[in-house]
């Protein structure tokens, strides 16, 4: 007898159908007969939202009145994915919805698909924030996600006829968006510019201009917790809709300038990931959402109080800084406490330091934000003063610890002409965490070594995680049913460590075969998805081998495409005989930052390699390569469950954690990867014999840099690599044009900063092992199932429990 604990609303399918009809009639103003799938999507979404309202109000009331400290998750990105299916699951309305929309004459899938995916994030960092707020709500912890409701999310990616990436704006609000509720009555004023003057011995900031921050509230329903938290995304509005004087002079364009300037702040998500941005508008965005959020938290927790006792603020809410983007919150809270509420510096500092914690997401020095002091001074003059004073206090403190002048200089928050946001965050908060064991160790040993030496107790680790609701239960219903069958309960959805109970079943050949059948069905389903979405014909009788993530040199898509080229060459020149050939389909998905030259050229190369290979009759049925456009959550939810071999091949010491790696392991893909980020922990948990490890370790990488790295040596030494690079250089993938990829080839042979060439031989060698195992489907699937069984640790519920224990020191509402 299988135990089912998934939430189920008492509402019947007929009642839910009536609710949808009601929404169609009164809010969509369309009859059920005339309604389109898009109408029904909006109506059903509003109907589900209504079901969540009471739990939302109660959670809000308990959050404010309760004795449990809340969590404020400050993040410039929330990559939420489609909402309806997840809301139905958590509201316990999935079955009723299916029947209700069928009774209205629609297929449930068409209604779910009618939602336009909001892309308010770049990749891992934004998706992590979305997983975390799901887990906070599911664990019953009172929490607010705070961010920006960008009008344009991450760009839509297409490819032109030459295979080059083309970016088009993602105007996701083009159609009615039923989830966000704009609340004009709970707005905040955010000011910029101007100057600081002294009045009666006090510093007074006289800003030059202000914008109106208006919250748009999204419900965050927990799974089986009865709790609904809030994601509050700020949108920028102008106070001066237009300049009447200019309008009267018939200068219409000038008249709307103030509005344009204000609304620009929340107009666009910067499409950058792990690269430097440093633009004024970006700083405006950061200050905009952080200032509004801090004021909002004071409004929420001290309602109607003119003189609240803000020394209790850190007992009400703890703020997590998701990377350096919200770090301007530290001087902002100091300013609020001192200038707006009259606290002295020391009291303000104690409150501020207790309030914030910082998550570092990188090891790449260029991704740690550093702002020119002149820019901060222009935009936020009072904050620059406060930062300078924080830095003075910091230097004094370090001197008091006996730290030498040279080290103090290296650690300065304010250098005289720049402000180092990671250092400000580390000093200005209580805790600093990395996002995987290896990453946290490297932060202590390298990136923030001086800080770790001076403040060892601040440093901790919280390994990332992913929500099992979206990325197993919803994305992989076949596997979910099989897990529930195997365990005799569906409790694993909220307690993922229960997957361990599948370990004994990996010895049961019949169960392993059922698992293999689920994977085969997922592959089949993806073939249909790929046909519908990309117009391609994928051969499902091949190994599905996937590399999806942002395009970045450190992630080393180059290494993968060079391997594919060498496999192609081997097939062409007959050095592999027919029995040796393991048919493979390689899927890439990756967006490159629009200004990232080598990344964009790599995309172009992959597309053109794909064209040559997929059109070559000699390798038909043996090797196919696809660069799928516009990698997003929808693609992830469809492709990950269908993947058999996942690529996590970054240079050791460069990927902070990765979360894609966790999603693949949980969905029963085997990983070929390096000892980097959370790969290390995945391998430890699933077992070294169930993970294809290759490549240099962090120490070996460091040694090679120190000894002087010469990529050309590796090119000369491995004929497979030499041949692959030669084929790129000789125009095979550019209609004979030898110049097409010259910059990429030159980079490989002379720089290759992330040492793809040095790891190539090991990577190529391990393919034989992969192919040998794949030829034994039972053993392959046994290992894949072991990956599922041992990956429960990578639930974001576990990550949140670690944050609660190590950093936030709070817990669920009673
Ligand atoms: N982009 C999207 C759309 C994702 O779903 C994920 C998955 O976690 C990522 C990026 C991050 O991928 P990775 O951890 O491989 O960098």
């Amino acid at each position: 007898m299988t135990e089912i604990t998934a939430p189920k609303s008492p509402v019947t399918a007929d009642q839910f159908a009536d609710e949808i009809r009601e929404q169609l009639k009164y809010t969509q103003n369309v009859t059920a007969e005339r309604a389109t799938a898009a109408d029904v999507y909006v109506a059903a979404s509003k109907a589900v939202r209504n079901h969540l309202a009471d739990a939302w109000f109660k959670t809000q009331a308990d959050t404010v009145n309760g004795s449990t400290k809340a969590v404020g998750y400050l993040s410039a990105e929330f990559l939420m994915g489609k909402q309806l299916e997840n809301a139905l699951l958590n509201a316990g309305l999935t079955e009723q919805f299916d029947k209700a929309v069928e009774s209205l004459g629609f297929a449930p899938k068409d209604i779910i698909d009618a939602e336009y995916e909001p892309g308010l994030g770049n990749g891992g960092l934004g998706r992590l924030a979305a997983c975390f707020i799901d887990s906070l709500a599911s664990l019953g912890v009172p929490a607010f996600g705070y961010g920006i409701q960008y009008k344009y999310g991450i760009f839509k990616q297409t490819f032109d006829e030459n295979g080059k990436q083309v970016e088009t704006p993602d105007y996701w609000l083009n159609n009615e968006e039923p989830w966000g509720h704009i609340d004009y009555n709970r707005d905040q004023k955010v000011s910029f510019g101007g100057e600081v003057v002294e009045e009666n011995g006090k510093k007074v900031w006289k800003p030059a201009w202000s914008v109106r921050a208006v919250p748009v509230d999204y419900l965050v329903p927990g799974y089986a917790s009865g709790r609904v938290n809030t994601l509050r995304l700020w949108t920028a509005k102008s106070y001066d809709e237009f300049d009447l004087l200019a309008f009267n002079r018939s200068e219409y364009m000038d008249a709307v300038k103030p509005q344009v300037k204000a609304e620009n702040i929340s107009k666009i998500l910067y499409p950058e990931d792990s690269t430097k941005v440093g633009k004024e508008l970006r700083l405006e965005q950061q200050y905009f959402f952080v200032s509004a959020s801090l004021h909002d938290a004071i409004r929420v927790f001290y309602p109607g109080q003119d003189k609240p006792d803000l020394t209790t603020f850190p007992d009400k809410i703890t703020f997590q800084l998701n990377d350096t983007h919200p770090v301007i919150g530290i001087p902002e809270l100091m300013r609020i406490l001192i200038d707006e509420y009259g606290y002295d510096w020391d009291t303000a500092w104690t409150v501020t330091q207790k309030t914030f914690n910082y998550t570092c997401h990188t090891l790449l020095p260029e991704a740690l934000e550093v702002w020119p002091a002149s820019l901060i001074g222009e935009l936020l003059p009072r904050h620059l003063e406060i930062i300078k004073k924080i830095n003075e206090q910091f230097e004094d403190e370090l001197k008091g610890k006996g730290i030498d002048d040279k080290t103090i200089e290296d650690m300065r928050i304010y250098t005289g002409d720049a402000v180092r946001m990671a250092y400000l965050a580390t000093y200005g908060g209580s805790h600093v965490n990395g996002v995987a064991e290896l990453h946290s160790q490297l932060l202590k040993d390298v990136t923030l070594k001086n800080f770790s030496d001076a403040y060892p107790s601040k440093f901790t680790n919280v390994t990332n995680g992913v929500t099992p609701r979206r990325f197993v239960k919803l994305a992989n219903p076949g596997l979910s049913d099989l897990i529930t069958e195997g365990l005799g309960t569906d409790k694993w959805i909220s307690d993922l460590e229960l997957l361990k109970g599948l370990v004994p079943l990996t010895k049961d050949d019949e169960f392993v075969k059922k698992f293999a059948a689920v994977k085969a069905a997922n592959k089949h389903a993806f073939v249909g998805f790929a046909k519908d979405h990309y117009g391609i014909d994928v051969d499902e009788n091949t190994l599905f081998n996937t590399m999806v993530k942002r395009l970045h040199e450190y992630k080393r898509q180059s290494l993968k495409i060079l391997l594919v080229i060498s496999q192609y060459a081997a097939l062409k020149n007959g050095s592999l005989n027919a029995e040796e050939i393991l048919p493979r389909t390689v899927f890439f998905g990756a967006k490159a930052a629009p200004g990232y030259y080598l990344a964009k050229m790599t995309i172009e190369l992959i597309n053109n390699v794909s064209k040559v290979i997929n059109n070559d009759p000699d390798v038909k049925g043996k090797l196919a390569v696809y660069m799928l456009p516009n990698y997003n959550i929808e693609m992830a939810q469809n492709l990950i469950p269908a993947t058999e071999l996942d690529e996590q091949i970054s240079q050791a010491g460069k990927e902070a954690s990765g979360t894609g790696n966790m999603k693949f392991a949980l969905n029963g893909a085997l990983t070929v990867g390096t000892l980097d980020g959370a790969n290390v922990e995945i391998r430890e948990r699933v077992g070294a014999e169930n993970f294809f490890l290759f490549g240099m370790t962090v120490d070996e990488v460091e040694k090679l840099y120190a000894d002087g790295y010469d990529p050309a040596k590796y090119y000369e030494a491995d004929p497979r690599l030499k041949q692959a690079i030669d084929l790129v250089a000789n125009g095979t993938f550019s209609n004979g044009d030898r110049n097409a990829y010259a910059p990429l080839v030159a980079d490989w042979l002379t720089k290759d900063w992330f040492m793809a060439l040095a790891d190539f031989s090991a990577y190529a060698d391990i393919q034989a092992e992969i192919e040998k195992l794949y030829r034994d489907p039972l053993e392959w699937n046994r290992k894949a199932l072991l990956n599922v069984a041992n990956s429960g640790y990578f639930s974001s519920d576990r990550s949140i429990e670690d944050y609660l224990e190590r950093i936030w020191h709070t817990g669920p509402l009673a």
Side-chain angles (χ1 to χ4, degrees), residues 390-403:
I390 292 174
N391 184 64
E392 276 170 30
Q393 170 185 298
F394 174 54
E395 291 196 27
D396 287 346
E397 207 173 294
L398 294 177
K399 276 197 197 102
K401 286 175 180 279
I403 293 172

Side-chain angles (χ1 to χ4, degrees), residues 375-684:
L375 182 60
I376 298 189
E378 245 167 66
L379 208 60
L380 303 166
R382 178 68 178 130
H383 297 76
L384 185 60
E385 285 188 359
I386 292 171
I387 291 166
K388 286 180 185 173
K389 197 161 165 193
I390 292 174
N391 184 64
E392 276 170 30
Q393 170 185 298
F394 174 54
E395 291 196 27
D396 287 346
E397 207 173 294
L398 294 177
K399 276 197 197 102
K401 286 175 180 279
I403 293 172
D404 65 85
D405 289 351
K406 166 75 182 70
T407 307
I408 293 179
E409 193 182 326
D410 289 347
M411 295 173 75
R412 280 199 233 148
I413 292 164
Y414 168 68
T415 64
D417 52 20
V419 179
R420 294 152 159 173
M421 302 309 268
Y423 293 2
L424 177 56
T426 304
Y427 178 54
S430 295
H431 299 276
V432 181
N433 74 287
V435 289
E437 297 279 357
L438 175 66
H439 175 235
S440 296
Q441 195 57 47
L442 291 171
L443 283 182
K444 288 197 279 187
D445 294 348
V446 187
T447 317
L448 296 171
K449 178 172 188 326
N450 292 334
F451 285 82
S452 158
D453 290 347
Y455 302 98
S457 62
K458 278 197 181 194
F459 283 76
T460 186
N461 170 251
V462 179
T463 298
N464 283 168
V466 302
T467 171
R469 271 72 65 182
R470 180 176 293 270
F471 288 102
V472 185
K473 172 71 185 151
L474 295 178
N476 202 339
L479 180 61
S480 297
D481 289 348
L482 184 66
I483 294 171
T484 299
E485 179 194 319
L487 298 178
T489 175
D490 68 350
K491 272 199 174 146
W492 58 273
I493 300 167
S494 50
D495 182 2
L496 206 60
E497 285 284 11
L498 291 179
L499 293 183
K500 278 242 178 300
L502 296 173
V503 172
L505 291 169
T506 60
K507 298 201 179 73
D508 172 350
D509 289 355
E510 289 316 305
F511 194 80
V512 175
K513 282 179 190 160
K514 283 185 185 173
F515 170 81
V518 167
K519 185 60 83 176
N522 291 343
K523 288 173 71 178
H524 181 75
F526 187 74
V527 169
F529 181 89
K531 181 81 184 161
D532 288 352
H533 287 74
Y534 316 118
I536 56 175
D537 292 302
V538 176
D539 179 355
E540 62 196 276
N541 299 310
T542 57
L543 166 71
F544 278 19
N545 177 193
T546 302
M547 182 167 188
V548 283
K549 48 185 72 256
R550 284 301 286 260
L551 201 308
H552 202 294
E553 287 161 276
Y554 84 80
K555 291 179 181 272
R556 303 200 298 190
Q557 280 91 354
S558 284
L559 177 57
K560 178 66 184 164
I561 197 67
L562 284 170
L563 177 75
V564 168
I565 295 168
S566 77
Q567 289 169 325
Y568 172 61
L571 288 169
K572 287 289 278 183
N573 67 23
S575 62
L576 289 174
N577 61 39
E579 301 88 72
E580 273 180 311
I581 296 159
L582 178 74
R584 270 200 210 217
T585 301
V586 178
F587 300 104
F588 286 92
K591 292 181 185 179
Y596 191 169
Y597 180 72
L598 283 182
K600 293 182 91 168
M601 187 169 278
T602 306
I603 287 180
E604 187 183 339
L605 173 65
I606 295 172
N607 269 319
N608 287 309
V609 169
S610 156
K611 253 183 226 164
V612 169
I613 292 181
N614 298 354
N615 290 313
D616 186 337
D618 291 352
V619 300
K620 197 169 169 48
K622 299 169 195 159
L623 182 62
V625 187
Y626 298 101
M627 178 85 214
L628 305 175
N630 205 43
Y631 179 47
N632 62 4
I633 307 285
E634 183 185 32
M635 192 201 292
Q637 288 186 209
N638 284 280
L639 180 53
I640 292 173
T643 293
E644 295 167 296
L645 178 66
D646 167 40
E647 304 276 335
Q648 301 295 340
I649 59 175
S650 52
Q651 185 195 30
K654 294 299 183 296
E655 185 75 88
S657 163
T659 49
N661 46 6
M662 300 169 183
K663 293 171 189 173
F664 282 100
L666 273 169
N667 281 281
L670 293 180
T671 306
V672 54
T674 49
L675 273 185
D676 200 15
N679 293 355
V680 177
E681 288 157 80
I682 292 175
R683 180 169 168 270
E684 262 167 30

